[in-house]
Structures are given as C-alpha cells and as structure tokens.
Amino acid sequence: MSARILSGTDLANKILTSLKPMVKKLDPKLVIIQIGNDPASDSYIRKKLQSCDDIGMRREHLHFDASVTFDELMKTIRTLNEDDDVTGYILQLPLPQMLQENEPLLFREIDPYKDIDGFTAYNLGKMFLSSDFEHLPPATPAGIISLLEQNGIEIEGKCAVVVGASNIVGKPLGTMLVNRNATLIQCHKFTHDLRSYTLQGDIVISAAGKANLITADMIKPGAVVIDVGMNRVGDTLVGDVDFENVKDVASAITPVPGGVGPMTVASLLQNCIRAKERQLERKS
Ligand code: GUN
C-alpha cells in the first residue's frame, strides 16, 4: 500500500488565500534581515517574499554583507523595534560564523511583539506553558502541527518521535506535541540505536538535516512520516526520509519539496497578522 501524500503546498496555498482579507484590513508589514549569502537562506527568503507578494502583504528585505558588525545589527534591530510601520521581522538563520556567538544577544534585542519567527525567550516560554498561550509559535513547528491537524491526523495519545533537537524546530515541536497530549520520544545526534525509537512512532518527524537518515525498516507500518529535512544532494533537494521506500510502509508522508517548507512560510505570514492584531489591541 502506498501512503497518502500530505501536500504542504496545497494546504499552505489555502491558508495564504484565507489570510488575504486580513492583510487587506490590517495592512501589516514584514521585514526579513539576511546576512551573507547562504544559498539555502537565499531560496527560503525568495519564497517568503514571493508569498508576501502573492497575498498583498507589504515586505522589505534588508540584506547585509557577511562583514556587517554586531553593533550595526543591534542598531538595525532597535530601529525595527521602534518603527510603528514594521509589524514583524525575522533574522534569517544561520548567521555567518563570525556572528554566531552573539546570536543570543541579537535575539534578546528583538521585541517579542514583533518576533514573528517566535524565537525569543518570551514567545518560546509562552509556547512552553500551554497550547492556549501559543501566540507567536515558531513557524516550522506550527506549520507541522497545522499539517497534521488539517489532515485529520490525531496527535492526542499518539507516540510522536521527533528526530532533531534544534531550538528552531526539534525542541519547540516536541513541546507543542506534548501540549497536545502526545507521548514524546525526542531523538538527536547523540541518540544510540535510532531505529529502536523510530519504530515506536505513530508519528515520526525528522528534522535532522541528513539525507536518507530515515529508511523503511525504521518505520512502523501505518505510521505518519513528516520530513523537515532540506538536503542538497548534487543538484537535487532531498529530505531526511528515503521517500520512495518509506511511502510503501507509512500511511501518510510529506514530500520534499512541497511538504513542510511551504507550511513554514504560511505560518510565518499568519504570525505577522497575529502580531498586528495584538499590537492594535495594545494600542486601544
Ligand atoms: N533558517 C531555517 N529556517 C528558518 C526559520 O524558520 N526562520 C529563520 N529566521 N531562519 C531559518
């Protein structure tokens, strides 16, 4: 039996279309800060900007050379915080090597009400407390939860195996699943015998960034498999999952591309509208 393909492209398009009236009403503005020329970031940013254009959301791309100083970036962040016309902004990761040790200081400076990536301690802390407090959740985990929920895949009571423990995907996703009453197994690069864990998963989500990490023998028949990986192999983009073989074991699976990627973008734009709504509430 071949798995149902969970199309992130179709659902993201539906979500983006549903945002159009709110964009028209609230007129939010999204800003992307990019530093350097990481090829994957170039591609993600193009898609984010294109989606803004598609739904009529104002957007700006601040592109700095990799040699930009920490002080210049701090100044930019403070300017964006103070500019009432800017609804939300993101600092695209990864930062160039030179700036990486200062990453926490840069994120600490971001106004949590404009943090549409949901990466600041304030928004992560709210997300940690309960799903009721998820106001600006991190975009990729939020997109994955939507993809599961909108496809009628139950989370409560299920065993969810998350492979990867990054601050922007694995860790917040694990928390969001637990907040929806899943039993969580969180694996990472120090996990021994990964297969013994993935085989227990009713839902297996791989965000490890390693091509072909998840093979068919690691998946329980009928499990749902979500692939967050975006790995370049030669000229092609592949996920973490051996799609061709895993689709014959799983009941549902996301493709790469066209799975989680578009959902991240839709969730980001959704957060921008939420941020604008909250800013207006605070003013009234
Ligand atoms: N790099 C890879 N994914 C993301 C994301 O969702 N947000 C930011 N800011 N950087 C990323």
Side-chain angles (χ1 to χ4, degrees):
M1 196 192 74
S2 200
R4 175 159 66 115
I5 308 298
L6 304 174
S7 170
T9 306
D10 291 351
L11 181 56
N13 283 339
K14 234 167 89 181
I15 293 170
L16 288 169
T17 302
S18 76
L19 297 179
K20 277 185 186 175
M22 291 307 280
V23 172
K24 204 161 178 195
K25 182 172 164 208
L26 300 173
D27 195 25
K29 179 178 174 185
L30 179 152
V31 176
I32 299 177
I33 307 174
Q34 181 181 11
I35 305 152
N37 281 92
D38 174 66
S41 294
D42 285 342
S43 154
Y44 297 148
I45 289 171
R46 252 196 318 275
K47 288 179 181 140
K48 290 171 185 176
L49 296 172
Q50 184 60 54
S51 292
C52 286
D53 294 346
D54 290 345
I55 64 167
M57 186 182 281
R58 291 184 297 138
R59 49 72 163 188
E60 193 176 343
H61 181 196
L62 300 177
H63 195 171
F64 293 93
D65 194 83
S67 62
V68 66
T69 64
F70 171 72
D71 288 346
E72 276 176 89
L73 285 173
M74 287 293 262
K75 201 171 136 210
T76 301
I77 288 173
R78 288 184 185 129
T79 304
L80 293 170
N81 287 344
E82 277 157 26
D83 185 346
D84 279 346
D85 194 41
V86 173
T87 308
Y89 62 95
I90 68 166
L91 184 54
Q92 186 69 29
L93 298 175
L95 298 179
Q97 191 75 38
M98 287 274 286
L99 287 163
Q100 282 180 10
E101 74 175 290
N102 282 323
E103 192 175 301
L105 292 176
L106 292 168
F107 275 94
R108 206 171 68 183
E109 203 61 27
I110 295 176
D111 177 352
Y113 287 88
K114 295 190 173 190
D115 168 31
I116 53 174
D117 248 336
F119 289 171
T120 60
Y122 178 81
N123 286 316
L124 287 171
K126 284 179 62 174
M127 183 270 310
F128 178 84
L129 292 172
S130 150
S131 56
D132 294 339
F133 295 134
E134 277 167 16
H135 174 55
L136 297 176
T140 300
I144 293 167
I145 298 285
S146 293
L147 196 59
L148 293 171
E149 289 177 346
Q150 297 299 315
N151 279 288
I153 294 164
E154 205 172 348
I155 297 173
E156 184 165 289
K158 294 293 160 67
C159 175
V161 181
V162 175
V163 183
S166 69
N167 285 336
I168 67 174
V169 183
K171 280 197 262 182
L173 177 61
T175 301
M176 289 172 82
L177 290 163
V178 170
N179 283 344
R180 286 162 177 78
N181 303 323
T183 299
L184 175 67
I185 300 178
Q186 186 109 43
C187 301
H188 42 71
K189 60 185 172 206
F190 296 102
T191 299
H192 295 289
D193 193 9
L194 180 60
R195 178 172 177 269
S196 69
Y197 299 105
T198 56
L199 272 175
Q200 297 178 55
D202 301 306
I203 303 170
V204 176
I205 305 173
S206 185
K210 199 167 168 196
N212 270 315
L213 178 70
I214 308 295
T215 49
D217 62 312
M218 297 168 77
I219 299 297
K220 180 167 77 172
V224 173
V225 179
I226 307 289
D227 193 348
V228 192
M230 294 269 209
N231 310 297
R232 270 223 172 268
V233 175
D235 277 348
T236 45
L237 185 70
V238 299
D240 291 351
V241 176
D242 173 11
F243 181 87
E244 281 311 313
N245 292 307
V246 171
K247 75 173 175 16
D248 294 333
V249 181
S251 61
I253 187 168
T254 57
V256 175
V260 173
M263 291 302 297
T264 297
V265 178
S267 297
L268 177 73
L269 272 54
Q270 213 163 18
N271 276 353
C272 193
I273 291 170
R274 288 202 188 127
K276 182 76 184 193
E277 286 171 330
R278 184 61 56 88
Q279 289 160 21
L280 292 170
E281 277 166 26
R282 287 175 85 209
K283 273 195 180 153
S284 60

